[in-house]
Amino acid sequence: MGQEISLSKFDTDDFIRFHQKLEQETLLLNCLIEQNDCSHRKPVAGFELEAWLVDRKMRPAPINEHFLATLNDPMASAELAKFNIELNSNPVPLTGEVLGCLHRQLQTTWQNAYRHAESMDSKIVMIGILPTLKQDDLNLANMSDMNRYRALNEQILHSRAKPIHIDINGAEHLKLDHYDVMLESATTSFQLHTQLPLESAHHFYNASIIASAPMVALCANAPFLFGKELWHESRIPLFEQAIETGGYEGAAQGPLKRVSFGSGYARNSIIECFQENLEHFPVLLPVDHDSAIEAFAHLRLHNGTIWRWNRPLVGFDEDGTPHIRIEHRTPAAGPTVIDAIANAAFYYGLAQNICTEILARGLPLPFAQAKDNFYQAAHSGLDCNIIWIDGNRHRLKDLLKSELLPRAVSGLKSLGVSLAEIDDYLGLIRQRINNKQNGSYWQRRYIREYNPDFTEMTRHYLNNQNLGNPVSEWMFHA
């Protein structure tokens, strides 16, 4: 959930001072974008993977502080809960053998972390929602010991002035109240980053919005929460409801939320998202960074408290030139390293292909339809029907085979990605579609057909994960 801060308590002056700096930095970013003074570097890829620490009984193990201190890996960091960690990549040019490079990075980082967990009599698991998680695990004693999280909890609950209410209607119905932000830590994802040349950044952002429906269905790996079978990708409603707070005053319960699909496409520039951040969303973490306006410290911190499923980010090239990245947040974590890289391949290719179409012919799908497609896909997975850019309704599983996979191939080719890697990684996506087995389908089938025991299912899931075979080939007994 972003960078650490120096304080967890604030007064009115802190908010006023922060907002003034936020205004200045947003204005400067707007000027740089208008003057074409952001990076024009060709696309660069990267990722963040969130994972679970579990004990021998497959229950959450709140040990991330000691785990990270003794792992001593700069690519690993803490998440909101003491039983979550995050593993990061070094950025790689999105061309050539990029997929193999990302694969080797993730495999090495994952294996090191896994061996270290075992040395602590624990395991790490990549899965969208841990099936053995209980609501009682999500308490403030299990919050990572960081000012950022303490402050977020206080500010979000203050802005809501009432408990967090969860109401998710899927195969079963879950309703409950919770009294802190720890519910968010029940969701773990595989976040894909793409740095883009300024001239195409907002088009790629829009393309990512359109690509989100097939991505969330294809990568679904979170069907269960607290023993209830909900959506194919239950992370989506859970995260949205866990931090359900909106804009200023009367808008706090309005249509714009801090976790959302967004309010629309970026019509002319990516600055529109940062302008919306400034104008609509109150500051949550008003930490005064004693830094130059050009560092965008306040803008970046504020942006880190607004979680669109596709989120623009500001970073810097090695020479200090500011750049724009798009963070695609829809894929769940897991089920395996190779599945994660196959998911990345499909996303980079499909988004690039749609981006090229947008540049040539304009936006091909109304935003409202892209949004509806996304929630249909999160709810019903590969079986859902969506309205595609031809204006017709399609079963998503069929559309993936007939059109979306060929689009992803075309997009990766246009980026100059190795043909052998395209065949290898998108071949896994093709197999997943043909076998109709992603992480969510595997979990549902296990519980329905074999053993309604979430501990045993998680153990079998972890065994399969450790074998390293793609989820499309998983059996129910490893």
Side-chain angles (χ1 to χ4, degrees):
M1 285 179 74
Q3 71 211 64
E4 174 59 319
I5 59 176
S6 56
L7 301 168
S8 60
K9 300 285 185 181
F10 310 102
D11 59 30
T12 303
D13 288 343
D14 293 323
F15 287 93
I16 293 170
R17 188 163 47 245
F18 188 99
H19 198 268
Q20 288 170 342
K21 294 191 175 185
L22 180 61
E23 285 183 313
Q24 293 169 358
E25 292 174 11
T26 307
L27 182 61
L28 175 61
L29 182 61
N30 186 34
C31 291
L32 291 176
I33 289 173
E34 286 186 346
Q35 294 164 10
N36 222 20
D37 282 341
C38 292
S39 177
H40 298 274
R41 186 179 179 186
K42 289 183 178 179
V44 177
F47 63 76
E48 301 169 69
L49 173 67
E50 298 165 345
W52 297 81
L53 290 156
V54 298
D55 62 20
R56 282 183 171 186
K57 297 179 180 178
M58 299 292 109
R59 296 272 294 123
I63 58 170
N64 70 359
E65 185 173 2
H66 181 56
F67 175 88
L68 291 166
T70 49
L71 178 66
N72 194 27
D73 183 345
M75 306 309 286
S77 58
E79 274 289 316
L80 172 61
K82 290 179 179 177
F83 39 73
N84 293 146
I85 58 169
E86 180 179 280
L87 304 175
N88 293 276
S89 70
N90 288 310
V92 183
L94 187 42
T95 191
E97 297 181 343
V98 56
L99 300 172
C101 184
L102 292 174
H103 190 166
R104 287 187 295 275
Q105 282 197 56
L106 182 54
Q107 189 71 49
T108 300
T109 306
W110 184 259
Q111 285 177 340
N112 289 342
Y114 194 90
R115 282 194 293 267
H116 189 63
E118 286 198 305
S119 76
M120 299 175 66
D121 202 25
S122 301
K123 308 281 186 184
I124 54 172
V125 187
M126 55 175 115
I127 191 167
I129 296 174
L130 186 68
T132 58
L133 182 73
K134 298 178 181 177
Q135 188 180 356
D136 290 349
D137 298 321
L138 303 174
N139 61 70
L140 293 180
N142 280 334
M143 180 185 284
S144 291
D145 187 21
M146 295 173 69
N147 288 327
R148 177 185 178 86
Y149 300 135
R150 284 190 288 270
L152 271 175
N153 181 63
E154 186 172 310
Q155 295 299 323
I156 286 172
L157 294 182
H158 176 74
S159 70
R160 286 180 52 81
K162 61 181 181 180
I164 291 162
H165 182 65
I166 299 297
D167 188 346
I168 304 173
N169 206 352
E172 298 179 271
H173 192 184
L174 177 67
K175 290 179 72 171
L176 59 89
D177 287 334
H178 202 79
Y179 296 88
D180 53 58
V181 298
M182 287 293 287
L183 276 169
E184 186 276 328
S185 66
T187 71
T188 48
S189 60
F190 182 57
Q191 297 157 20
L192 295 165
H193 287 239
T194 318
Q195 181 187 328
L196 296 146
L198 178 61
E199 56 273 16
S200 63
H202 75 288
H203 299 300
F204 195 91
Y205 171 74
N206 294 336
S208 297
I209 287 171
I210 295 170
S212 293
M215 277 297 294
V216 78
L218 193 63
C219 308
N221 197 21
F224 296 105
L225 174 63
F226 305 147
K228 297 275 192 179
E229 182 179 338
L230 302 172
W231 291 19
H232 278 249
E233 190 48 51
S234 306
R235 283 172 46 252
I236 304 303
L238 177 58
F239 193 11
E240 290 191 358
Q241 294 178 29
I243 306 183
E244 190 185 26
T245 181
Y248 289 101
E249 297 175 359
Q253 300 304 315
L256 288 189
K257 302 294 185 184
R258 286 190 180 266
V259 184
S260 76
F261 195 68
S263 61
Y265 293 123
R267 290 289 171 176
N268 300 301
S269 168
I270 203 68
I271 194 63
E272 294 162 26
C273 295
F274 297 99
Q275 199 68 43
E276 182 177 272
N277 290 354
L278 170 68
E279 294 173 358
H280 186 82
F281 292 103
V283 171
L284 286 184
L285 302 176
V287 178
D288 187 8
H289 291 271
D290 187 18
S291 57
I293 184 174
E294 293 80 8
F296 297 112
H298 304 82
L299 179 143
R300 295 169 77 194
L301 179 57
H302 184 53
N303 188 49
T305 66
I306 298 155
W307 298 272
R308 297 177 183 87
W309 293 113
N310 295 280
R311 177 166 67 176
L313 304 172
V314 175
F316 298 93
D317 288 353
E318 293 83 351
D319 64 0
T321 304
H323 69 234
I324 301 297
R325 297 197 311 277
I326 305 303
E327 180 187 42
H328 182 64
R329 303 171 56 83
T330 67
T336 63
V337 168
I338 199 167
D339 283 308
I341 304 303
N343 294 344
F346 182 77
Y347 165 69
Y348 290 132
L350 180 60
Q352 176 63 25
N353 174 267
I354 295 171
C355 181
T356 301
E357 182 169 332
I358 291 170
L359 282 162
R361 293 190 284 276
L363 288 161
L365 190 71
F367 177 81
Q369 188 59 60
K371 181 177 180 180
D372 184 63
N373 288 347
F374 175 71
Y375 290 105
Q376 292 287 344
H379 183 277
S380 302
L382 297 172
D383 290 315
C384 80
N385 292 300
I386 67 169
I387 294 177
W388 190 236
I389 59 181
D390 59 1
N392 295 320
R393 185 174 295 277
H394 298 265
R395 188 180 181 209
L396 183 52
K397 181 174 179 285
D398 299 332
L399 185 68
L400 280 160
K401 285 196 283 190
S402 65
E403 182 176 342
L404 302 184
L405 262 173
R407 279 180 174 267
V409 170
S410 176
L412 290 175
K413 285 181 177 177
S414 73
L415 289 163
V417 174
S418 151
L419 295 180
E421 290 197 350
I422 295 173
D423 287 344
D424 287 347
Y425 291 100
L426 291 188
L428 296 176
I429 297 296
R430 185 173 289 106
Q431 184 181 57
R432 192 187 304 169
I433 297 162
N434 287 338
N435 293 356
K436 199 180 165 188
Q437 182 160 286
N438 57 20
S440 183
Y441 279 94
W442 184 89
Q443 291 184 59
R444 284 168 177 253
R445 285 171 180 158
Y446 184 98
I447 290 298
R448 286 176 179 172
E449 298 178 25
Y450 289 83
N451 188 352
D453 181 328
F454 288 101
T455 300
E456 278 306 298
M457 184 188 77
T458 306
R459 208 180 300 280
H460 283 301
Y461 177 100
L462 182 59
N463 288 341
N464 276 307
Q465 187 171 92
N466 290 338
L467 289 172
N469 297 325
V471 69
S472 54
E473 299 175 5
W474 282 15
M475 304 302 287
F476 290 99
H477 295 284

